[in-house]
């Protein structure tokens, strides 16, 4: 690591009870103790902090800020963004920034320490009350039905507060002053158990759920933003049954642990990971599974990672304390459909999956999934922005007109630009099913309606077949179509507060290109108003089109055909055998020769699939990104020598209008040689990752780019991300990566907002 990389600047947005409680002096003391410069100030939304100094000290700052709160302070959210040093000379407390907070919706917050203490205190009147909450914690986004956020505008409207709860609610000195979901065992929601004809209520209901899970059964549990399916995570047959019934072959399940201590028996947990797990946002955190873990193999088949989370509602705390063991906690749905939120809906849709149902009578206003995060580059990276994070705003570069962005197709989100802020919805899932599309339309109405922004402009992807694009076509507002990878790069720029010119490296599975072909290995030069496709991966045919995204062997076949032409089928028959297996070679050959249903793509995601198939790791995927993951997991870090190479060649040689094309042919040749020699998949994977990272850096250098933003689904891969950043820095470039917004299509809506505003600025 070079000297500049060892220093950094950390911007932190802290929200919650952080004003008038000695929070700024606490920040000041901590900064001085760690020899950090910067500033702190109150804002309409909370406290904003910038600290600058040694990276290790900044990390300590982040950990201690949350861990050593002054008495009376309570955090609801702590979002860090790493930036480059700005040269702050000392630390100061700045005057408050003007502006009242926007009357918006706030995210659901994990149960706070004080409520947790009450939950397990036999003398407390809320002892074992599964709905305990206060002003600093509990449900918000999942219960609000309209603004302003007042009790009648929540799903708690049907519960009348008892006299004691009402007194707390009206007392400005009380922790529950204006806590909208405030309730107690006398006046609040109740649990109910349903299993066939069997019924129970309250604690008895909870006890039945515990019994069922202990006996190897599957329980559907109504949580905060939807139903979970719970099963004993150590019981292979229970977990396997859950997979079968849910029609979920191999996609990993998340597991919930009673506490951090229990989790440490199954995975290594670094301090930053522990911070995330125990944070008010309480996301699922991807961890390295330890070899001694006694979790059932079916929790995450063939996967060295473990998605872990801690209890975040009082109900989870009660359940997990009684169970005292890890449980699979997966979303209550069939396959990839949206979460079930209503009791009747769950009983029907999950009837074939769950053996019993733990229900309650507090309605859920909208589905809110668990968020997912991981640590990469020594910092937090959000992969799915949902519970705990959405819809906290993200600062836009400047104020502008209201715009609503419809996002993409997979990992859908919508976003709203109001003045200088972007409000990104919770993750809405893939828009593959009617139920998912319904959820999307609701969210689009929701975010426009709840904020009353009356947006006159809609932004969407340029793909004509995305359900989100089609929705905008049905609307009267002015529309702005935004190229997929351009949106990816803009999203990354917003997060890192970057102004053009910037070179965007946008690598993903597929996005609609400006020329109508499938893009996914793009180098986009971002200027003040637009972008230029300066370079891209050499294209290759995808026999079978869409189906190639789950069948990596098709990408491999297309790659080989592009390299060897028609001779492939005679000269390299033995190479094709394991790839084609029972597929009809003659049909495929005809398809390729005539270019029938063989769209061309420059996708790096498909290149990953092809290499995973060639290396014998994964011929087909049962979920998006599985082949690329298999390649990432196989990587043998001990392999350093003989990285493959991609050649940067003039675009004209390939009939491309871009200045440069990144040719994978030398990489493929070397890889085939390696495979012929019997090289291990781990070495092949390391060389492949290394080649891509170096190619990104060398292309940036050739294009004369100083600042490079890395975006797109491929950069969820920590090995690729870290190698690309190292390669870029090695060539004296500055690399910027996602942090709070996912690099995958969950970030598209944010980028679309910025693109639309750019268009409006130019044309108005
Ligand atoms: Zn609380
Ligand atoms: Zn009450
Ligand atoms: Zn994408």
């Amino acid at each position: 690591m070079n000297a500049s990389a060892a220093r950094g600047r950390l911007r932190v947005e802290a929200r919650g009870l952080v004003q008038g409680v000695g929070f700024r002096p606490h920040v000041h003391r901590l900064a001085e103790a760690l020899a950090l410069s910067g500033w702190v100030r109150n804002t309409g939304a909370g406290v904003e902090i910038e600290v600058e100094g040694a990276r290790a000290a900044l990390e300590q700052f982040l950990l201690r800020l949350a861990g050593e709160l002054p008495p009376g302070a309570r955090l609801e959210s702590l979002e860090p963004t790493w930036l480059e040093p700005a040269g702050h000379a000392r630390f100061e407390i700045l005057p408050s920034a003007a502006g009242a907070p926007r009357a918006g919706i706030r995210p659901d917050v994990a149960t706070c320490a004080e409520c947790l203490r009450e939950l397990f205190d036999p003398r407390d009147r809320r002892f074992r009350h599964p709905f305990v909450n206060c002003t600093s914690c509990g449900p918000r986004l999942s219960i609000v039905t309209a603004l302003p956020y007042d009790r009648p505008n929540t799903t708690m409207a049907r519960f009348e507060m008892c006299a004691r709860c009402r007194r707390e609610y009206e007392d400005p000195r009380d922790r529950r002053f204006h806590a909208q979901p405030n309730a107690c065992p006398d006046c609040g929601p109740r649990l109910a158990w349903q299993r066939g004809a069997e019924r129970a209520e309250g604690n008895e209901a909870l006890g039945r759920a515990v019994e069922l899970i202990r006996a190897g059964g599957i329980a559907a549990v109504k949580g905060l933003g939807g139903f979970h399916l719970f099963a004993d995570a150590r019981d292979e047959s229970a977990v396997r049954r859950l997979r079968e019934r849910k029609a979920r072959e191999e996609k990993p399940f998340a597991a919930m642990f009673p506490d951090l201590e229990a989790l440490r028996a199954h995975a290594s947990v670094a301090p930053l990971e522990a911070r995330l797990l125990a944070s008010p946002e309480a996301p699922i955190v991807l961890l390295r599974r330890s070899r001694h873990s006694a979790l059932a193999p079916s929790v995450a088949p063939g996967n060295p990672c473990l998605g872990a989370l801690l209890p975040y509602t009082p109900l989870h705390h009660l359940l997990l304390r009684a169970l005292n063991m890890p449980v699979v906690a997966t979303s209550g749905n069939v396959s990839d459909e949206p979460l079930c939120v209503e009791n009747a809906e769950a009983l029907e849709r999950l009837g074939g999956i769950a053996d019993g149902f733990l229900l309650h009578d507090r309605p859920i206003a909208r589905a809110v999934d668990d968020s997912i995060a991981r640590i990469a580059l020594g910092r937090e990276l959000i992969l799915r922005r949902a519970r705990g994070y959405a819809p906290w705003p993200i600062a836009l570069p400047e104020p502008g007109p209201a715009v609503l962005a419809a996002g993409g197709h997979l990992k859908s989100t919508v976003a709203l630009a109001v003045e200088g802020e972007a409000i990104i919805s919770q993750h809405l899932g893939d828009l593959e099913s009617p139920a998912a599309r319904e959820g999307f339309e609701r969210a689009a109405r929701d975010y426009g309606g709840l904020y009353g922004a009356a947006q006159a402009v809609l932004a969407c992807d340029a793909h004509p077949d995305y359900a989100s694009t089609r929705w905008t076509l049905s609307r009267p507002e002015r529309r702005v179509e935004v190229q997929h990878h351009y949106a990816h790069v803009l999203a990354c720029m917003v997060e890192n507060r970057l102004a053009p010119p910037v070179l965007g490296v946008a690598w993903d599975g597929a996005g609609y290109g400006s020329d109508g072909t499938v893009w996914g290995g793009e180098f986009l030069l971002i200027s003040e108003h637009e972008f230029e496709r300066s370079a891209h991966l050499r294209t290759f045919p995808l026999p079978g089109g869409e189906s190639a995204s789950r069948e990596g062997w098709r990408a491999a076949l297309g790659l080989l055909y592009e390299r060897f032409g028609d001779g492939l089928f005679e000269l390299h028959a033995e190479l094709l055998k394991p790839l084609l297996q029972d597929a009809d070679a003659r049909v495929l050959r005809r398809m390729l020769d005539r270019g029938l249903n063989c769209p061309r793509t420059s996708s790096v995601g498909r290149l990953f699939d092809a290499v995973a198939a060639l290396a014998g790791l994964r011929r087909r995927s049962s979920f998006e990104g599985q082949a690329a993951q298999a390649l990432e997991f196989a990587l043998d870090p001990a392999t350093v020598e003989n990285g493959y190479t991609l050649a940067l060649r003039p675009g004209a040689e390939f009939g491309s209008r871009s200045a440069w094309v990144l040719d994978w042919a030398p990489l493929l040749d070397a890889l085939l040689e390696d495979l012929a020699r019997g090289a291990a998949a781990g070495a092949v994977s390391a060389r492949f990752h290394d080649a891509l990272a170096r190619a990104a850096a060398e292309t940036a250098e050739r294009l004369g780019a100083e600042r490079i933003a890395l975006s797109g689904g491929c950069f969820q891969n920590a090995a690729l991300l870290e190698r690309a950043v190292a390669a870029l820095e090695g060539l004296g470039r500055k690399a910027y990566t996602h942090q709070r917004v996912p690099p995958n299509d969950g970030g598209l809506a944010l980028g679309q907002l910025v693109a639309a505003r750019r268009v409006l600025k130019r044309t108005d």
Side-chain angles (χ1 to χ4, degrees):
M1 201 181 270
N2 59 35
S4 69
R7 284 183 68 78
R9 174 166 57 122
L10 188 63
R11 160 87 65 136
V12 181
E13 285 175 53
R15 305 176 187 103
L17 202 52
V18 287
Q19 296 190 358
V21 288
F23 192 75
R24 285 175 304 168
H26 162 60
V27 170
H28 194 175
R29 273 193 303 274
L30 195 53
E32 301 227 299
L34 293 164
L36 300 171
S37 55
W39 49 260
V40 59
R41 66 174 179 186
N42 283 342
T43 68
V47 170
E48 225 170 25
I49 305 161
E50 253 194 42
V51 276
E52 184 171 327
R55 246 205 94 111
L58 291 171
E59 198 176 299
Q60 278 307 307
F61 178 85
L62 189 56
L63 294 169
R64 289 176 59 182
L65 184 65
E68 302 170 11
L69 286 182
R74 276 188 290 272
L75 278 180
E76 289 177 27
S77 149
L78 190 72
E79 288 198 277
T81 307
W82 291 84
L83 302 164
E84 34 188 81
H88 294 307
R90 57 205 155 84
F91 193 89
E92 35 187 352
I93 297 185
L94 297 182
S96 302
R102 184 177 314 290
I105 327 166
R106 295 187 297 165
D108 300 327
V109 177
T111 310
C112 77
E114 277 166 276
C115 287
L116 195 58
R117 194 183 39 71
E118 291 175 349
L119 183 65
F120 290 110
D121 178 359
R123 291 156 309 175
D124 194 277
R125 73 186 190 95
R126 290 189 175 84
F127 177 54
R128 296 188 62 80
H129 178 52
F131 304 94
V132 55
N133 67 80
C134 69
T135 320
S136 305
C137 78
R140 282 89 162 269
L141 176 62
S142 63
I143 59 166
V144 62
T145 51
L147 284 180
Y149 178 59
D150 273 328
R151 179 103 162 186
N153 288 338
T154 71
T155 61
M156 284 297 288
R158 61 162 70 173
F159 299 94
E160 197 177 335
M161 269 184 263
C162 68
R164 293 173 81 180
C165 286
R166 164 82 39 203
R167 265 202 303 281
E168 296 165 338
Y169 181 85
E170 285 169 356
D171 180 358
R173 292 155 308 176
D174 196 279
R175 215 172 94 238
R176 298 197 161 92
F177 176 55
H178 282 189
Q180 304 306 340
N182 189 28
C184 75
D186 294 336
C187 65
R190 279 160 208 274
L191 292 180
W193 173 251
Q194 197 164 325
R195 181 184 189 184
E198 186 184 313
R199 298 283 186 277
E201 282 192 6
N203 265 323
E204 177 67 26
L206 190 91
R208 299 281 176 93
V210 169
E211 258 168 49
L212 174 72
I213 297 166
R214 278 195 177 285
I218 298 166
V221 177
K222 185 175 183 182
L224 202 51
F227 276 78
H228 272 130
L229 292 160
F230 277 13
D232 184 347
R234 305 160 310 175
D235 182 341
E236 175 64 12
S237 69
V239 180
R240 198 174 295 169
R241 202 156 50 240
L242 178 55
R243 283 204 176 277
E244 279 161 19
R245 293 188 190 166
K246 209 171 130 73
R248 179 146 150 166
E249 273 176 76
E250 291 166 309
K251 197 172 175 184
F253 284 143
M256 188 182 275
F257 293 80
D259 52 38
L260 265 177
E261 237 17 75
L263 169 56
R264 287 184 202 278
H266 300 275
S268 59
V269 186
L272 276 178
E273 291 164 338
R275 183 197 92 70
L276 271 176
L277 285 158
S279 69
E281 295 90 348
I284 295 170
V285 180
L286 300 187
L287 302 169
R288 267 277 142 180
R289 193 162 165 175
S290 72
R291 257 174 303 162
H292 324 288
S293 165
L295 292 189
S298 286
V299 171
N303 197 316
C305 291
L306 172 65
L309 79 167
L310 297 180
Y312 57 84
T313 69
L315 178 56
H316 295 148
H317 281 288
L318 290 168
L319 269 174
L320 270 287
R321 186 164 294 199
L323 285 163
N324 193 27
M325 66 189 196
V327 288
V328 164
T330 187
S331 41
N333 53 13
V334 186
S335 203
D336 288 325
E337 288 192 356
L339 279 181
C340 287
V341 296
E342 278 167 35
N343 290 349
E345 178 198 11
L347 288 166
E348 189 193 311
R349 277 172 59 200
L350 305 180
I353 303 177
D355 300 306
F357 291 81
L358 186 57
L359 309 167
H360 61 71
D361 54 358
R362 183 179 72 202
I364 296 172
R366 60 185 58 68
V368 185
D369 283 89
D370 293 324
S371 294
I372 304 179
R374 80 183 295 177
I375 301 293
L377 290 163
R379 58 168 78 148
E380 296 159 9
L381 169 63
I382 304 295
L383 300 177
R384 184 204 275 170
R385 197 174 163 89
R387 178 183 48 75
Y389 296 97
W392 286 126
I394 303 251
L396 287 168
E398 56 189 359
V403 179
L404 182 72
H409 186 72
L410 300 175
K411 302 181 167 69
S412 155
T413 56
V414 299
L416 179 71
V418 219
E419 290 155 29
E421 290 183 332
I423 291 136
I424 309 174
S425 78
Q426 72 278 18
H427 162 91
L428 303 168
D430 301 345
L431 304 185
E432 297 278 324
S433 65
R437 290 193 285 273
E438 213 172 280
F440 157 81
E441 288 190 18
R442 244 192 87 182
R445 282 197 307 271
D446 235 19
Y447 278 86
L450 277 174
Y451 287 84
Q455 68 287 341
V457 178
L458 297 178
C460 64
D461 196 273
H463 200 305
D465 295 330
Y466 279 4
S468 53
T469 306
R470 288 203 303 269
W471 175 79
T472 62
L473 283 166
S474 72
R475 305 274 312 178
E477 290 96 335
R478 175 173 172 191
R479 298 170 63 253
V480 178
E481 291 186 354
V482 182
Q483 200 281 321
H484 189 98
H485 302 92
Y486 180 40
H488 270 312
V489 178
L490 289 175
C492 187
M493 286 171 63
V494 169
E495 272 203 77
N496 289 285
R497 298 167 187 253
L498 287 181
V502 166
L503 177 70
V505 179
W507 289 354
D508 64 3
Y512 193 79
S514 306
D515 57 1
T517 67
V518 185
W519 292 9
E522 311 309 311
F523 293 83
L524 306 181
L525 208 52
I526 311 292
S527 55
E528 201 59 50
H529 293 297
E530 54 203 355
F531 73 93
E532 183 193 324
R533 191 191 194 199
S534 307
H536 59 83
L537 189 72
R538 176 179 173 182
T539 62
F540 55 96
L542 278 178
E546 279 283 279
S547 57
S549 66
R550 291 279 165 100
E551 299 186 349
W553 64 268
R554 291 179 183 271
L557 177 64
L559 205 65
L560 293 171
Y561 185 84
E562 181 72 10
R563 181 82 184 106
F564 301 111
D566 190 50
L568 169 69
F569 290 89
E570 275 94 35
L571 297 172
H572 301 276
E574 70 300 337
L575 196 61
L576 292 181
K577 236 179 267 162
L579 285 179
L580 300 189
Q581 291 186 10
D582 47 3
D584 190 333
R586 277 180 319 170
V587 172
L588 286 162
R589 185 173 183 170
R590 208 176 313 128
M591 271 169 79
L592 284 160
D593 284 346
R594 297 185 188 166
L596 293 172
N597 194 18
C598 286
R600 297 189 69 83
T601 187
S602 55
S603 164
V604 170
R606 294 294 93 84
L607 185 65
F608 261 93
D609 294 348
V611 170
L614 287 168
L617 287 167
R618 197 93 232 166
R619 208 176 145 261
R620 56 174 84 230
S621 301
S622 70
F623 60 91
E624 198 219 351
Q626 187 181 20
Q629 270 187 18
L631 202 55
E632 177 189 358
F633 295 153
L635 190 149
D636 175 5
T639 309
V640 283
E641 85 299 2
N642 293 331
Y644 306 137
T645 44
L646 292 100
L648 196 62
R649 297 168 57 184
E653 284 183 30
F654 298 89
S656 169
R657 270 178 290 171
S658 296
W660 301 98
V661 162
L662 201 48
D663 185 6
W664 39 259
L667 177 149
L668 180 65
D669 292 351
L671 183 138
L672 292 177
E673 259 175 55
D674 254 4
L675 292 173
R677 286 194 296 111
V684 168
S685 168
R687 289 170 189 156
F688 175 69
H689 279 83
D690 183 52
L692 282 175
R694 269 188 299 108
E698 286 162 13
T699 307
E701 188 179 44
R702 184 72 64 94
L703 293 169
E706 293 300 327
R707 302 180 304 157
I708 294 91
L710 304 175
S711 190
C714 291
F715 289 107
Q716 297 174 97
N717 175 331
L720 179 65
L721 185 72
E722 293 177 350
R723 280 161 194 246
V725 169
L728 283 161
E729 288 180 348
L731 291 180
R733 315 281 137 174
K734 286 187 172 144
Y736 302 87
T737 64
H738 281 276
Q739 304 180 49
R740 293 163 60 186
V741 177
N744 59 46
D745 287 4
L748 286 178
L750 174 63
Q752 289 171 358
L753 292 179
V754 180
R757 278 196 171 172
R758 287 171 143 228
V759 169
L760 296 175
K761 207 170 166 184
R762 205 177 27 178
T763 53
D764 286 355

